[in-house]
mmCIF file with all atom_site columns, all heavy atoms in Angstrom:
data_model
loop_
_atom_site.group_PDB
_atom_site.id
_atom_site.type_symbol
_atom_site.label_atom_id
_atom_site.label_alt_id
_atom_site.label_comp_id
_atom_site.label_asym_id
_atom_site.label_entity_id
_atom_site.label_seq_id
_atom_site.pdbx_PDB_ins_code
_atom_site.Cartn_x
_atom_site.Cartn_y
_atom_site.Cartn_z
_atom_site.occupancy
_atom_site.B_iso_or_equiv
_atom_site.pdbx_formal_charge
_atom_site.auth_seq_id
_atom_site.auth_comp_id
_atom_site.auth_asym_id
_atom_site.auth_atom_id
_atom_site.pdbx_PDB_model_num
ATOM   1  N N   . HIS A 1 36  ? -4.612 -6.032  6.549  1.00 0.00 ? 306 HIS A N   1
ATOM   2  C CA  . HIS A 1 36  ? -3.937 -7.162  7.184  1.00 0.00 ? 306 HIS A CA  1
ATOM   3  C C   . HIS A 1 36  ? -4.938 -7.826  8.115  1.00 0.00 ? 306 HIS A C   1
ATOM   4  O O   . HIS A 1 36  ? -5.312 -7.249  9.154  1.00 0.00 ? 306 HIS A O   1
ATOM   5  C CB  . HIS A 1 36  ? -2.710 -6.698  7.983  1.00 0.00 ? 306 HIS A CB  1
ATOM   6  C CG  . HIS A 1 36  ? -1.472 -6.556  7.171  1.00 0.00 ? 306 HIS A CG  1
ATOM   7  N ND1 . HIS A 1 36  ? -1.311 -5.601  6.199  1.00 0.00 ? 306 HIS A ND1 1
ATOM   8  C CD2 . HIS A 1 36  ? -0.315 -7.284  7.199  1.00 0.00 ? 306 HIS A CD2 1
ATOM   9  C CE1 . HIS A 1 36  ? -0.100 -5.722  5.668  1.00 0.00 ? 306 HIS A CE1 1
ATOM   10 N NE2 . HIS A 1 36  ? 0.520  -6.737  6.242  1.00 0.00 ? 306 HIS A NE2 1
ATOM   11 N N   . GLU A 1 47  ? 0.781  -8.821  14.134 1.00 0.00 ? 317 GLU A N   1
ATOM   12 C CA  . GLU A 1 47  ? 0.676  -9.977  13.214 1.00 0.00 ? 317 GLU A CA  1
ATOM   13 C C   . GLU A 1 47  ? 1.921  -10.873 13.319 1.00 0.00 ? 317 GLU A C   1
ATOM   14 O O   . GLU A 1 47  ? 1.914  -11.998 12.835 1.00 0.00 ? 317 GLU A O   1
ATOM   15 C CB  . GLU A 1 47  ? 0.441  -9.506  11.772 1.00 0.00 ? 317 GLU A CB  1
ATOM   16 C CG  . GLU A 1 47  ? 1.625  -8.913  11.056 1.00 0.00 ? 317 GLU A CG  1
ATOM   17 C CD  . GLU A 1 47  ? 1.955  -7.483  11.470 1.00 0.00 ? 317 GLU A CD  1
ATOM   18 O OE1 . GLU A 1 47  ? 1.197  -6.872  12.236 1.00 0.00 ? 317 GLU A OE1 1
ATOM   19 O OE2 . GLU A 1 47  ? 3.007  -6.987  11.020 1.00 0.00 ? 317 GLU A OE2 1
ATOM   20 N N   . TRP A 1 48  ? 2.932  -10.410 13.969 1.00 0.00 ? 318 TRP A N   1
ATOM   21 C CA  . TRP A 1 48  ? 4.146  -11.219 14.186 1.00 0.00 ? 318 TRP A CA  1
ATOM   22 C C   . TRP A 1 48  ? 4.137  -11.923 15.542 1.00 0.00 ? 318 TRP A C   1
ATOM   23 O O   . TRP A 1 48  ? 5.159  -12.445 15.989 1.00 0.00 ? 318 TRP A O   1
ATOM   24 C CB  . TRP A 1 48  ? 5.370  -10.319 14.099 1.00 0.00 ? 318 TRP A CB  1
ATOM   25 C CG  . TRP A 1 48  ? 5.935  -10.194 12.719 1.00 0.00 ? 318 TRP A CG  1
ATOM   26 C CD1 . TRP A 1 48  ? 5.326  -9.614  11.643 1.00 0.00 ? 318 TRP A CD1 1
ATOM   27 C CD2 . TRP A 1 48  ? 7.217  -10.644 12.255 1.00 0.00 ? 318 TRP A CD2 1
ATOM   28 N NE1 . TRP A 1 48  ? 6.152  -9.674  10.540 1.00 0.00 ? 318 TRP A NE1 1
ATOM   29 C CE2 . TRP A 1 48  ? 7.313  -10.297 10.892 1.00 0.00 ? 318 TRP A CE2 1
ATOM   30 C CE3 . TRP A 1 48  ? 8.293  -11.294 12.860 1.00 0.00 ? 318 TRP A CE3 1
ATOM   31 C CZ2 . TRP A 1 48  ? 8.442  -10.596 10.120 1.00 0.00 ? 318 TRP A CZ2 1
ATOM   32 C CZ3 . TRP A 1 48  ? 9.422  -11.588 12.105 1.00 0.00 ? 318 TRP A CZ3 1
ATOM   33 C CH2 . TRP A 1 48  ? 9.476  -11.244 10.745 1.00 0.00 ? 318 TRP A CH2 1
ATOM   34 N N   . HIS A 1 95  ? -0.630 -14.565 5.472  1.00 0.00 ? 365 HIS A N   1
ATOM   35 C CA  . HIS A 1 95  ? 0.495  -13.852 6.049  1.00 0.00 ? 365 HIS A CA  1
ATOM   36 C C   . HIS A 1 95  ? 1.535  -14.885 6.512  1.00 0.00 ? 365 HIS A C   1
ATOM   37 O O   . HIS A 1 95  ? 1.413  -16.077 6.216  1.00 0.00 ? 365 HIS A O   1
ATOM   38 C CB  . HIS A 1 95  ? 0.032  -12.920 7.183  1.00 0.00 ? 365 HIS A CB  1
ATOM   39 C CG  . HIS A 1 95  ? 0.976  -11.803 7.424  1.00 0.00 ? 365 HIS A CG  1
ATOM   40 N ND1 . HIS A 1 95  ? 1.894  -11.815 8.437  1.00 0.00 ? 365 HIS A ND1 1
ATOM   41 C CD2 . HIS A 1 95  ? 1.186  -10.650 6.759  1.00 0.00 ? 365 HIS A CD2 1
ATOM   42 C CE1 . HIS A 1 95  ? 2.617  -10.709 8.394  1.00 0.00 ? 365 HIS A CE1 1
ATOM   43 N NE2 . HIS A 1 95  ? 2.207  -9.977  7.385  1.00 0.00 ? 365 HIS A NE2 1
ATOM   44 N N   . HIS A 1 96  ? 2.540  -14.438 7.260  1.00 0.00 ? 366 HIS A N   1
ATOM   45 C CA  . HIS A 1 96  ? 3.656  -15.323 7.582  1.00 0.00 ? 366 HIS A CA  1
ATOM   46 C C   . HIS A 1 96  ? 3.252  -16.554 8.391  1.00 0.00 ? 366 HIS A C   1
ATOM   47 O O   . HIS A 1 96  ? 3.955  -17.566 8.362  1.00 0.00 ? 366 HIS A O   1
ATOM   48 C CB  . HIS A 1 96  ? 4.730  -14.562 8.369  1.00 0.00 ? 366 HIS A CB  1
ATOM   49 C CG  . HIS A 1 96  ? 5.190  -13.298 7.727  1.00 0.00 ? 366 HIS A CG  1
ATOM   50 N ND1 . HIS A 1 96  ? 5.093  -13.039 6.372  1.00 0.00 ? 366 HIS A ND1 1
ATOM   51 C CD2 . HIS A 1 96  ? 5.739  -12.172 8.277  1.00 0.00 ? 366 HIS A CD2 1
ATOM   52 C CE1 . HIS A 1 96  ? 5.573  -11.845 6.111  1.00 0.00 ? 366 HIS A CE1 1
ATOM   53 N NE2 . HIS A 1 96  ? 5.976  -11.297 7.234  1.00 0.00 ? 366 HIS A NE2 1
ATOM   54 N N   . ASP A 1 197 ? 5.729  -10.936 -0.164 1.00 0.00 ? 467 ASP A N   1
ATOM   55 C CA  . ASP A 1 197 ? 6.396  -10.395 1.020  1.00 0.00 ? 467 ASP A CA  1
ATOM   56 C C   . ASP A 1 197 ? 7.131  -11.510 1.753  1.00 0.00 ? 467 ASP A C   1
ATOM   57 O O   . ASP A 1 197 ? 6.487  -12.513 2.076  1.00 0.00 ? 467 ASP A O   1
ATOM   58 C CB  . ASP A 1 197 ? 5.287  -9.787  1.923  1.00 0.00 ? 467 ASP A CB  1
ATOM   59 C CG  . ASP A 1 197 ? 5.794  -8.743  2.867  1.00 0.00 ? 467 ASP A CG  1
ATOM   60 O OD1 . ASP A 1 197 ? 6.833  -8.142  2.598  1.00 0.00 ? 467 ASP A OD1 1
ATOM   61 O OD2 . ASP A 1 197 ? 5.150  -8.580  3.901  1.00 0.00 ? 467 ASP A OD2 1
ATOM   62 N N   . GLU A 1 248 ? 8.828  0.666   3.059  1.00 0.00 ? 518 GLU A N   1
ATOM   63 C CA  . GLU A 1 248 ? 7.963  0.145   4.136  1.00 0.00 ? 518 GLU A CA  1
ATOM   64 C C   . GLU A 1 248 ? 7.896  1.118   5.310  1.00 0.00 ? 518 GLU A C   1
ATOM   65 O O   . GLU A 1 248 ? 8.905  1.392   5.952  1.00 0.00 ? 518 GLU A O   1
ATOM   66 C CB  . GLU A 1 248 ? 8.604  -1.161  4.619  1.00 0.00 ? 518 GLU A CB  1
ATOM   67 C CG  . GLU A 1 248 ? 8.030  -1.726  5.882  1.00 0.00 ? 518 GLU A CG  1
ATOM   68 C CD  . GLU A 1 248 ? 7.026  -2.794  5.605  1.00 0.00 ? 518 GLU A CD  1
ATOM   69 O OE1 . GLU A 1 248 ? 6.886  -3.193  4.450  1.00 0.00 ? 518 GLU A OE1 1
ATOM   70 O OE2 . GLU A 1 248 ? 6.398  -3.244  6.567  1.00 0.00 ? 518 GLU A OE2 1
HETATM 71 O O1  . LIG B 2 .   ? 6.645  -8.780  8.022  1.00 0.00 ? 244 LIG B O1  1
HETATM 72 C C1  . LIG B 2 .   ? 5.741  -8.088  7.177  1.00 0.00 ? 244 LIG B C1  1
HETATM 73 C C2  . LIG B 2 .   ? 4.799  -7.255  7.979  1.00 0.00 ? 244 LIG B C2  1
HETATM 74 O O2  . LIG B 2 .   ? 4.078  -8.054  8.882  1.00 0.00 ? 244 LIG B O2  1
HETATM 75 C C3  . LIG B 2 .   ? 3.835  -6.552  7.019  1.00 0.00 ? 244 LIG B C3  1
HETATM 76 O O3  . LIG B 2 .   ? 3.068  -7.509  6.291  1.00 0.00 ? 244 LIG B O3  1
HETATM 77 C C4  . LIG B 2 .   ? 4.657  -5.684  6.063  1.00 0.00 ? 244 LIG B C4  1
HETATM 78 C C5  . LIG B 2 .   ? 3.750  -4.984  5.069  1.00 0.00 ? 244 LIG B C5  1
HETATM 79 O O4  . LIG B 2 .   ? 4.537  -4.416  4.044  1.00 0.00 ? 244 LIG B O4  1
HETATM 80 N N1  . LIG B 2 .   ? 5.598  -6.531  5.333  1.00 0.00 ? 244 LIG B N1  1
HETATM 81 C C6  . LIG B 2 .   ? 6.523  -7.273  6.151  1.00 0.00 ? 244 LIG B C6  1
HETATM 82 C C7  . LIG B 2 .   ? 7.546  -6.352  6.801  1.00 0.00 ? 244 LIG B C7  1
HETATM 83 O O5  . LIG B 2 .   ? 8.244  -5.691  5.771  1.00 0.00 ? 244 LIG B O5  1
#
Side-chain angles (χ1 to χ4, degrees):
H306 275 68
E317 74 283 353
W318 270 66
H365 203 260
H366 307 337
D467 203 24
E518 169 98 8

